[in-house]
Amino acid sequence: MRTIPILLAAALLLSLSACKQEKAEVAPPPPVTLTADAIGHYCGMNLADHPGPKGQILVKGQQRPIWLSSVRDTFAFTMLPEEPKEISAIYVTDVGKAKDPTAPDLTVWVEAHKAWYVLGSKLRGGMGDAEPYPFAEESAARRLRRRQWRHCPALRRGA
């Protein structure tokens, strides 16, 4: 008789531990190194031909990332109903590591939802439009914001 409650308790513990394992966060795959032949998803042009920060979206089951010539296009991709939704990771260029924010180091990436963004600056993105500029560190984002204070009303953290 005592065996049944013990077996039930063991089964319950196993099922609860299985639930906890399923909910454990899995680290996203690392960013992919940008190659000379990386083409922007929407513009069809080589990313190296565009100034400003870039984006890459890693879709589950695909070997190559979807390259985007701007952070703005990266955000748009996630909101458009016709684009894939099985996303493993989203990365944007970390502008904080660059000497010139319009020419960021395209080997340094930050997860989009962890980045700090400077909004409304006078800096332009890959296609010449207003662009959110991403930073891995809040202090670097604040420095750019202070330098452009008259033109830059907002600083936001990725969601």
Side-chain angles (χ1 to χ4, degrees):
M1 251 350 208
R2 261 186 123 172
T3 318
I4 292 175
I6 292 172
L7 289 175
L8 287 174
L12 179 62
L13 285 174
L14 284 173
S15 66
L16 288 175
S17 67
C19 289
K20 286 181 183 178
Q21 287 175 356
E22 287 176 357
K23 291 182 182 180
E25 259 188 61
V26 176
V32 176
T33 302
L34 184 80
T35 59
D37 64 343
I39 302 297
H41 181 67
Y42 294 121
C43 67
M45 298 169 64
N46 190 297
L47 261 62
D49 294 341
H50 298 288
K54 314 286 184 259
Q56 62 173 284
I57 296 180
L58 305 176
V59 177
K60 290 178 184 173
Q62 290 187 13
Q63 294 284 348
R64 304 176 128 222
I66 295 172
W67 295 108
L68 297 133
S69 58
S70 70
V71 173
R72 191 185 71 248
D73 285 355
T74 306
F75 293 163
F77 182 97
T78 66
M79 293 182 270
L80 294 171
E82 65 270 15
E83 299 296 0
K85 300 301 174 212
E86 292 292 315
I87 295 172
S88 300
I90 302 172
Y91 291 99
V92 290
T93 311
D94 178 7
V95 177
K97 304 289 189 249
K99 291 179 183 173
D100 175 4
T102 62
D105 181 347
L106 299 179
T107 65
V108 183
W109 300 91
V110 59
E111 285 182 72
H113 73 281
K114 292 182 178 178
W116 288 88
Y117 295 90
V118 175
L119 308 177
S121 79
K122 62 184 177 181
L123 297 174
R124 297 294 176 214
M127 300 306 282
D129 292 324
E131 180 77 6
Y133 269 70
F135 294 82
E137 297 175 17
E138 180 183 7
S139 60
R142 290 194 180 282
R143 277 193 300 276
L144 177 69
R145 184 174 177 236
R146 276 194 299 273
R147 283 197 308 259
Q148 298 193 9
W149 177 248
R150 282 176 265 159
H151 307 287
C152 186
L155 177 70
R156 300 250 167 111
R157 179 90 192 251

